[in-house]
Amino acid sequence: MDSQCVSILPRVCGVLLVSGSSLPDDTSLEKLLDWFTTVAQTGPSLLEACPCLVDFVSKVAFNYASGSSILSFTLKLTGLIGASEDGFKVLKECSVLKLVFNPQHWQEAGLWEDPCLRIGWIQGLKMILQHSEALSFFAQADLIEPLLQLQTDPSLFVASAANQTLAQVLLLCQSLSSVGHNGSKNRDLEHNSEISQLPGSQQILRLLAMLLVRVGPPLRDTLLLAVMNSLEELVTTSCSQLTVPLLDVILAANSGLRDDCVPKQRLIRLLWAMLNMKKPDDVMQAAAAVLRSHQSDPALSAHSARVLLLPLDIVTGVSLLDENSTGEQTTLVCFYLCNKCLLTPFKSMLSNPAEGELRILITEQLKRKSCISMICVCLSNIPQITLMASDRLPCPQRLIVTAVLLLLRLCCVDSSSSSPGCVEVVRFITGNSKVQKCALEALLVLSKSPGVKMVLVEVFKVLTEYLNSPSSDPSVLQKSYQVVIKWVGVCPDLSCITDQLREGFIQAVRKRACDTRWEARDSTVEFLGHLVEVPSCWTFTEQETEPLDVLLGGRRFTVPLLKEALQDPESYVRASSISALAQTLAPSWQDGTALTQEQEDIVAQLQEVLFQDSEGFARRAAVKYFTAWFSACSSPSSCWLLMQSMPTVLSQGVADLDWEVKLHTLELAELLLDRAFPDPSPSHSYAVMSDQDHRLPIAGQQSDLLSSLKNLVDWGVVSALLCGVVDCDRPVALKACQLLLKLRGIVCPVMDNAADTRVFCQLAGASVLQQVRKIQEIGKDTHVVSEACSEADEEGICASVDPECVGVCEVLRLLDLDEKLSILTQSSDHIYNSPLSLLQDILTAAAASSPPGQDSRQELVMDCY
């Protein structure tokens, strides 16, 4: 530990003992405790490093006037000290433990009602429970009672911490074989076995679930044996508030047992009982939990799937639970979706009377507003249902697709569809964005269903309706676009998309591109970009075609829309349109197709964005556009307009006010560097080099290297890197420094041995010029500055805006890049967020809040964390 910290710490402890002493900020005590924790974990002993802490803890324990935050901090600190056996022994000899961890002591002082003190007591106790001596103290002090009481604490933080500490007690019991600790374990199990008699049943159940996941077989079996009767009793009470925690306990216990053991069979019976409760909401929750836990019992999973599909079956009238469902029924429903006519409600063939009773209960529930949550539970669990084996599903997946489509039609405000199922529910779900998004999410997953081509036209029609509907929420529109992308991507044959369907979809997309809500416009331009990346498909002409051409008529439709979006008043839309343009034009870049006048205009617009756009989102996207373009080009010579734009993009991007724009610019510079030197030497000057690396390269290699370096200078890469290395934003300077080291490792070993091969670059900017002047002063005889500029007056250079010419290799050699890299790789607060700084802050804050008579005009300067 730092000797300065050791010398200051006693004074800090004295300051903390004074009642009402101010602290630099609300987290100072937590930072101090974090530091002590680090010392305890890395050093020999916390008390050896900080011997004054025992005296501090003893004084606070008797000082009732200390603030609640100081008291809570002290309780945690006591636990941290006692976590080691040596520290525990010292605290025990000082009689601190019994005092600090005695709840009666704090109750008599009138401090126990403060939740801050209670949470400190629990966390301190949790820290100290690391060894057998601490567990013996826990048992002898009878701390199980107050810990169990705190499970029902009105503060959720206190109750949760009590649960975690109780779990740690049992885990520590499991890891220790000493007979002396069995008393604590057995008493804990006795308390937990009386679940139904405790008012805090929810907390007890959460504790049991936590334990059953973490403990090993011996303790787990004992625990299950102790609580099984209580669990069965709670299931029979059918208390809705306990459904979720009960399921957590049962599923946690069930996951670690063999199928042939008796507790496993009892737990399965409990799950069946919960699936046959009289409250529909509880049954739905139980079925969802069973599916999510991937139970091995096939009958249980199949029944859970039937339960979850019941609301969808009832609302839409599609017999999802009719085991005799045939393809004829699917055809009838598709006919209904196409013609929007009302068919006779389908009759369900129920597998058992209990399901029939549940159907009646759910039907009644669906006639109330609470039906929304029930339908959403049904839809959100469809992904789990689709993962089941086909022989366990109550119906083919394409039938579920049909039901979801019908539900979407019922939810659409502008749809004239009527439900052949539960008519009363329609008034609650029509226009409800929550149900719509859940249904669309289910449709996303169902795109993987077998035979999706049969319903692709219906999917496309429903989604077009949503895109056309003026009442569709922007989030619903975004989800609709995602479903289009997903379904088109999994259907290799789009021959079913007719001209009429395509025209309706084009009108919908054009309409949303001009929506008054920026979120809708943003989703639209994002969709146009993502559609380009969908794999090619087959059409009725039996030719391979891009989905963009099939759905929207190709780039002649999308590019003008995206160009128009470059002028959008919302920066998010402008940024999305730039990204979408990059995705749209990428195939032509890869093919080496000649640029059109339209694409040249786009480049000019993007350069204007870099110069003039007021928002960083758009400027970042513009730099990424050029990065994507360069990555797609096979060679710089094939992209003359791109390479002509590089100096402008790099110089403007690296001088941007947004640090992310500068960082993206350096990433573009890195691509150029890698393209110029495809097989670089070791990037660091201290990297190990083979003997062959030390040999002088032949003249041809020198010539190629010189040519590549001149290209980098012409493209503006070197200037951008030298500008970035002195940037005030650490990530930018770090990236530039790494790239300069890489460049130095490539060119300097070769160029230093070559005659008359010096390459100069130009710099502009005050910070860069200052760096150059420092180099000039250090190396006056190294010809760093070109002969053309060597006679310039220093003051004239300072006032001039003209660029300076510098030798690339000389600058790379003279700049102490290794030391700079070492500094930049450190955290930016490695000095000001140090333990010494924290201790000094506490003392400074205490001095500033000192009594009158001292200099109150003293300025208080504190570090920022």
Side-chain angles (χ1 to χ4, degrees):
M1 180 186 290
D2 190 344
S3 58
Q4 284 186 284
C5 293
V6 174
S7 61
I8 292 178
L9 187 57
R11 292 169 54 200
V12 172
C13 290
V15 166
L16 296 179
L17 284 171
V18 178
S19 175
S21 292
S22 62
L23 293 170
D25 58 65
D26 295 338
T27 63
S28 295
L29 294 176
E30 293 300 324
K31 294 172 184 173
L32 197 57
L33 192 65
D34 289 341
W35 175 50
F36 288 145
T37 303
T38 303
V39 173
Q41 293 174 346
T42 58
S45 169
L46 181 59
L47 286 185
E48 289 182 17
C50 313
C52 61
L53 294 181
V54 174
D55 182 62
F56 168 76
V57 170
S58 302
K59 290 180 179 178
V60 173
F62 290 99
N63 185 8
Y64 297 156
S66 297
S68 59
S69 59
I70 298 294
L71 291 172
S72 180
F73 165 76
T74 304
L75 289 167
K76 298 173 189 176
L77 178 60
T78 305
L80 181 61
I81 295 173
S84 67
E85 295 185 7
D86 292 339
F88 183 88
K89 183 178 180 181
V90 173
L91 293 175
K92 190 174 182 180
E93 291 173 353
C94 300
S95 302
V96 172
L97 286 177
K98 291 184 178 180
L99 188 65
V100 168
F101 289 111
N102 182 10
Q104 189 68 25
H105 168 70
W106 303 112
Q107 289 172 357
E108 292 174 355
L111 301 171
W112 190 249
E113 297 301 319
D114 192 332
C116 183
L117 182 75
R118 297 198 301 275
I119 194 73
W121 184 84
I122 295 173
Q123 291 181 352
L125 194 61
K126 183 181 178 182
M127 288 182 184
I128 206 171
L129 288 171
Q130 304 293 333
H131 45 81
S132 59
E133 292 297 324
L135 188 59
S136 298
F137 164 75
F138 177 84
Q140 294 168 5
D142 201 19
L143 298 181
I144 188 68
E145 291 289 346
L147 198 56
L148 283 169
Q149 292 172 4
L150 289 174
Q151 281 191 301
T152 58
D153 196 271
S155 169
L156 294 178
F157 295 103
V158 173
S160 176
N163 260 359
Q164 295 176 11
T165 305
L166 277 171
Q168 183 164 330
V169 170
L170 285 181
L171 291 172
L172 188 57
C173 289
Q174 181 190 17
S175 63
L176 297 174
S177 58
S178 174
V179 179
H181 308 130
N182 289 338
S184 171
K185 177 174 70 174
N186 292 335
R187 286 164 55 192
D188 201 0
L189 294 178
E190 289 171 5
H191 280 287
N192 288 327
S193 66
E194 300 172 358
I195 298 175
S196 59
Q197 301 176 11
L198 291 175
S201 298
Q202 289 178 317
Q203 291 293 338
I204 297 293
L205 289 171
R206 292 191 183 98
L207 171 63
L208 284 175
M210 185 189 310
L211 287 172
L212 289 169
V213 170
R214 297 171 61 183
V215 299
L219 182 57
R220 183 189 60 203
D221 297 342
T222 305
L223 189 58
L224 271 178
L225 183 64
V227 301
M228 186 64 75
N229 292 334
S230 297
L231 291 176
E232 292 173 345
E233 179 183 345
L234 283 179
V235 170
T236 57
T237 60
S238 299
C239 178
S240 297
Q241 294 179 341
L242 297 179
T243 298
V244 173
L246 256 176
L247 285 167
D248 291 340
V249 170
I250 295 172
L251 295 174
N254 196 28
S255 62
L257 298 176
R258 301 189 312 274
D259 292 338
D260 57 346
C261 66
V262 175
K264 176 87 169 184
Q265 297 169 1
R266 292 181 68 179
L267 290 170
I268 292 294
R269 286 198 295 270
L270 284 180
L271 288 175
W272 275 109
M274 298 191 75
L275 289 173
N276 287 279
M277 291 185 292
K278 303 299 182 183
K279 298 178 181 179
D281 290 331
D282 295 344
V283 176
M284 294 285 291
Q285 286 182 335
V290 169
L291 277 189
R292 286 195 301 269
S293 63
H294 304 290
Q295 292 297 310
S296 57
D297 191 314
L300 195 65
S301 300
H303 183 69
S304 298
R306 296 179 66 87
V307 168
L308 289 168
L309 288 176
L310 253 177
L312 190 60
D313 177 295
I314 296 170
V315 172
T316 63
V318 180
S319 295
L320 302 177
L321 309 185
D322 186 356
E323 296 181 357
N324 298 320
S325 298
T326 62
E328 180 181 357
Q329 179 179 336
T330 306
T331 305
L332 288 173
V333 177
C334 289
F335 178 77
Y336 165 78
L337 288 170
C338 293
N339 297 278
K340 302 181 181 179
C341 63
L342 181 63
L343 298 179
T344 303
F346 297 106
K347 296 180 180 180
S348 295
M349 306 287 292
L350 299 179
S351 60
N352 56 64
E355 192 173 286
E357 183 179 356
L358 181 61
R359 172 179 285 272
I360 296 173
L361 294 173
I362 290 181
T363 303
E364 291 300 317
Q365 182 85 7
L366 289 172
K367 295 178 181 179
R368 297 191 289 270
K369 193 173 182 179
S370 57
C371 68
I372 293 175
S373 61
M374 179 176 289
I375 294 173
C376 289
V377 170
C378 166
L379 294 170
S380 61
N381 283 278
I382 284 180
Q384 297 296 333
I385 294 175
T386 58
L387 295 176
M388 297 173 59
S390 57
D391 58 342
R392 298 187 190 180
L393 287 173
C395 65
Q397 287 192 26
R398 64 178 181 275
L399 203 58
I400 302 177
V401 175
T402 301
V404 173
L405 288 174
L406 180 53
L407 179 66
L408 281 168
R409 276 245 167 87
L410 295 174
C411 292
C412 188
V413 176
D414 304 308
S415 175
S416 58
S417 299
S418 300
S419 173
C422 184
V423 180
E424 294 87 349
V425 75
V426 176
R427 64 192 179 99
F428 295 117
I429 64 175
T430 300
N432 187 283
S433 60
K434 183 177 180 181
V435 177
Q436 291 171 342
K437 284 186 287 187
C438 285
L440 289 168
E441 191 67 41
L443 202 57
L444 268 175
V445 179
L446 289 167
S447 63
K448 301 177 182 177
S449 304
V452 291
K453 183 184 176 182
M454 294 176 57
V455 290
L456 178 61
V457 171
E458 308 314 320
V459 172
F460 205 70
K461 285 183 177 180
V462 170
L463 295 175
T464 303
E465 284 184 19
Y466 270 82
L467 293 176
N468 269 316
S469 175
S471 59
S472 292
D473 186 81
S475 59
V476 173
L477 295 174
Q478 182 186 39
K479 189 65 67 176
S480 300
Y481 282 129
Q482 292 174 2
V483 176
V484 172
I485 295 292
K486 190 69 174 180
W487 275 76
V488 171
V490 299
C491 291
D493 187 355
L494 298 181
S495 59
C496 56
I497 305 298
T498 63
D499 292 340
Q500 184 180 1
L501 289 174
R502 182 186 304 108
E503 186 60 32
F505 189 69
I506 288 175
Q507 291 178 1
V509 172
R510 184 180 285 114
K511 175 182 177 180
R512 288 307 172 192
C514 303
D515 199 291
T516 56
R517 299 163 296 182
W518 73 264
E519 297 93 341
R521 302 195 303 273
D522 189 55
S523 298
T524 302
V525 296
E526 284 183 345
F527 164 73
L528 296 177
H530 293 323
L531 189 58
V532 183
E533 300 175 343
V534 179
S536 299
C537 58
W538 294 91
T539 62
F540 64 93
T541 60
E542 297 185 357
Q543 292 181 348
E544 193 172 5
T545 313
E546 292 183 359
L548 177 64
D549 296 326
V550 177
L551 301 184
L552 296 174
R555 290 170 178 78
R556 64 179 181 273
F557 171 79
T558 60
V559 173
L561 279 182
L562 295 174
K563 277 189 64 180
E564 187 176 349
L566 290 176
Q567 308 297 328
D568 197 276
E570 176 56 50
S571 62
Y572 289 106
V573 181
R574 297 196 299 273
S576 296
S577 65
I578 295 171
S579 300
L581 278 170
Q583 292 167 297
T584 303
L585 299 176
S588 62
W589 297 337
Q590 293 169 350
D591 297 339
T593 307
L595 296 180
T596 63
Q597 183 60 45
E598 188 176 46
Q599 293 183 26
E600 294 182 14
D601 294 340
I602 291 173
V603 173
Q605 284 184 270
L606 294 183
Q607 290 182 355
E608 290 182 11
V609 168
L610 278 174
F611 278 97
Q612 299 178 3
D613 202 294
S614 59
E615 297 290 340
F617 302 107
R619 301 198 302 274
R620 294 172 204 164
V623 175
K624 289 182 179 180
Y625 177 96
F626 288 99
T627 301
W629 188 3
F630 185 79
S631 299
C633 286
S634 57
S635 65
S637 59
S638 63
C639 309
W640 64 269
L641 181 58
L642 172 62
M643 304 317 298
Q644 186 179 1
S645 306
M646 278 301 175
T648 302
V649 174
L650 291 175
S651 62
Q652 185 64 27
V654 81
D656 200 278
L657 296 178
D658 187 295
W659 72 270
E660 291 190 61
V661 175
K662 292 183 284 191
L663 197 59
H664 292 317
T665 303
L666 293 178
E667 290 170 355
L668 175 58
E670 184 176 18
L671 286 177
L672 290 162
L673 179 62
D674 291 339
R675 187 70 65 89
F677 304 105
D679 187 20
S681 302
S683 58
H684 197 281
S685 59
Y686 297 137
V688 178
M689 302 176 65
S690 64
D691 293 337
Q692 187 176 0
D693 294 326
H694 289 290
R695 297 174 186 172
L696 294 178
I698 60 176
Q701 292 175 326
Q702 294 178 355
S703 177
D704 292 342
L705 196 63
L706 179 62
S707 176
S708 298
L709 184 58
K710 286 181 177 179
N711 286 336
L712 285 181
V713 172
D714 294 339
W715 294 337
V717 173
V718 178
S719 297
L721 296 182
L722 291 174
C723 186
V725 80
V726 294
D727 195 88
C728 59
D729 290 307
R730 188 173 67 93
V732 177
L734 176 60
K735 182 69 175 179
C737 187
Q738 291 170 336
L739 294 179
L740 285 173
L741 278 168
K742 183 176 183 179
L743 180 62
R744 188 185 72 180
I746 296 171
V747 301
C748 285
V750 177
M751 304 296 285
D752 286 346
N753 297 308
D756 300 326
T757 55
R758 286 166 49 216
V759 180
F760 298 97
C761 68
Q762 293 181 326
L763 297 177
S767 59
V768 185
L769 289 175
Q770 284 181 350
Q771 193 80 5
V772 171
R773 289 193 201 96
K774 290 180 181 178
I775 298 171
Q776 183 182 5
E777 292 175 0
I778 296 173
K780 292 181 180 179
D781 299 329
T782 58
H783 305 288
V784 174
V785 181
S786 67
E787 296 177 2
C789 302
S790 60
E791 297 179 357
D793 178 72
E794 186 172 344
E795 294 300 324
I797 294 175
C798 187
S800 173
V801 295
D802 293 332
E804 283 285 345
C805 298
V806 295
V808 176
C809 290
E810 289 83 355
V811 170
L812 291 175
R813 188 174 62 252
L814 289 175
L815 282 174
D816 197 350
L817 295 174
D818 301 288
E819 181 181 358
K820 195 171 188 66
L821 180 67
S822 176
I823 295 173
L824 290 171
T825 50
Q826 296 180 6
S827 173
S828 58
D829 58 359
H830 69 281
I831 295 177
Y832 298 106
N833 199 17
S834 64
L836 178 60
S837 176
L838 174 63
L839 298 177
Q840 290 172 339
D841 278 355
I842 295 174
L843 294 177
T844 305
S849 61
S850 57
Q854 298 184 14
D855 188 3
S856 61
R857 296 171 297 173
Q858 181 180 2
E859 181 183 5
L860 177 61
V861 180
M862 291 178 288
D863 298 333
C864 296
Y865 297 97

